């Protein structure tokens, strides 16, 4: 990239994207054999048909490494030029140290690296953190990874949760460009309400996901609608301006309900959750990388990201591709 590290008048573009999912596929038919459910119920209520499962011993940092290498390749950037590595995850390899430094060493990068936890909103929170690094002039290139090995945190006897989640990693490289190019992240808007912490949680003693599905569903539709409308208004866009929405991939019915409320045609909402389920912090960067590789993004396109997750935390971001 040519941008100098002055920080004044710079924006963060997504200069590269990549993803990595484990090879093993867990289908709805297989889940029918494990719990009292049916493929038809899962597809009708969630849109999910299959998800990926990490192999025994396969860690978050293993998936993150491949996704990050693919994003760096796409950006044409060598790891030594990274100024910061941010990893969004609730399923790190171990409590300490973080995935970030493990990934830094595996890539051969030399920059600061850390993990942070914002559950399914991790990628959108990360866009905001990375944008601040770039716009303040502290970083020219930031690697942002969302990675989860949620299958290790799923109770495979709980039919309400075990159908939803999957494993994977997605990564983006954010790079500074002069603001006058008109490209890059224009706005990020975040929110949180910790009063609802208990409706989606992993308690330390139990170690598996517990969830009040209907409550989450209700909050997701309401909060996502609000934050998207706010982000669009603050960017100066209308819903009709948006070429592609790349939302967190939780449930097709949530996406369809939000699309209807914000009045964006369903075909402009990117969805790949039927193949991966909910991969939490990884879902948006996986979807973004697939959308890019499928040719769904052209220079100048207006792109919207939105997510809600455990916390509750949520956010939206607007970007010119
Ligand atoms: N198979 C068959 N029946 C099931 C299953 C299953 N896998 N899971 C629940 N049911 C039953 C329930 O027990 C209930 O039976 P009952 O009426 O006899 O009590 C019935 O189906 C209906 O249950 P509801 O909870 O009303 O079903 P709903 O339509 O809300 O779908 C679901 C449940 C899919 C969990 C939905 O609420 C949901 O997706 N919520 C959001 C959860 C989510 O996305 N969490 C991820 C993290 S947060 C995020 O990413 C946004």
């Amino acid at each position: 990239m040519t941008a100098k590290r002055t920080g004044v008048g710079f924006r963060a573009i997504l200069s590269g994207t990549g993803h990595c999912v484990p090879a093993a596929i867990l289908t709805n038919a297989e889940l029918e054999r494990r719990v009292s459910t049916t493929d038809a119920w899962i597809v009708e209520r969630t849109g999910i048909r299959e998800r990926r499962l990490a192999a025994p011993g396969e860690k978050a940092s293993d998936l993150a490494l491949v996704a990050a290498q693919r994003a760096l390749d796409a950006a044409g950037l060598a790891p030594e030029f990274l100024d910061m590595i941010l990893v969004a995850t609730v399923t790190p390899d171990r409590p300490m140290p973080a995935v970030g430094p493990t990934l830094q060493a595996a890539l051969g990068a030399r920059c600061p690296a850390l993990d942070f936890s914002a559950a399914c909103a991790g990628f959108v929170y990360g866009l905001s953190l990375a944008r601040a690094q770039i716009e303040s002039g502290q970083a020219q290139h930031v690697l942002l990874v969302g990675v989860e090995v949620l299958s290790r945190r799923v109770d495979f006897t709980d039919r309400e949760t075990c159908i939803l989640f999957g494993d994977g990693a997605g990564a983006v490289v954010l790079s500074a460009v002069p603001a006058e190019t008109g490209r890059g992240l224009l706005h990020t808007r975040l929110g949180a309400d910790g009063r609802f912490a208990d409706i989606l949680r992993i308690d330390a003693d139990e170690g598996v996901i517990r969830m009040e599905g209907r409550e989450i569903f209700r909050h997701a539709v309401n909060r996502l609608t609000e934050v998207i409308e706010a982000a669009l208004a603050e960017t100066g866009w209308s819903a009709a301006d948006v070429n592609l929405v790349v939302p967190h991939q939780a449930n097709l019915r949530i996406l369809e309900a939000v699309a209807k409320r914000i009045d964006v045609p369903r075909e402009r909402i990117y969805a790949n959750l039927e193949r991966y389920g909910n991969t939490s912090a990884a879902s948006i960067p996986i979807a973004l990388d697939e959308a890019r590789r499928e040719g769904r993004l052209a220079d100048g396109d207006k792109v919207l990201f939105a997510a809600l997750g455990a916390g509750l935390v949520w956010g939206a971001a607007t970007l010119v591709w």
Side-chain angles (χ1 to χ4, degrees), residues 37 41 45 120 159 200 211 213-214 248 250-251 253 278:
T37 192
W41 192 96
R45 300 294 178 113
C120 300
R159 69 177 180 173
L200 182 56
M211 173 185 92
R214 259 181 255 187
H248 168 50
N251 180 320
R253 283 163 53 224
N278 180 344

Side-chain angles (χ1 to χ4, degrees), residues 35-38 41-42 45-46 120 159-160 163-165 200 211-214 216-217 220 248-251 253-254 278 308-310:
V35 290
S36 170
T37 192
T38 62
W41 192 96
I42 300 170
R45 300 294 178 113
T46 72
C120 300
R159 69 177 180 173
E160 205 187 349
I163 59 166
L164 295 177
F165 299 100
L200 182 56
M211 173 185 92
E212 292 173 33
R214 259 181 255 187
I216 294 284
F217 194 105
H248 168 50
Q249 308 282 309
N251 180 320
R253 283 163 53 224
I254 294 177
N278 180 344
L308 174 135

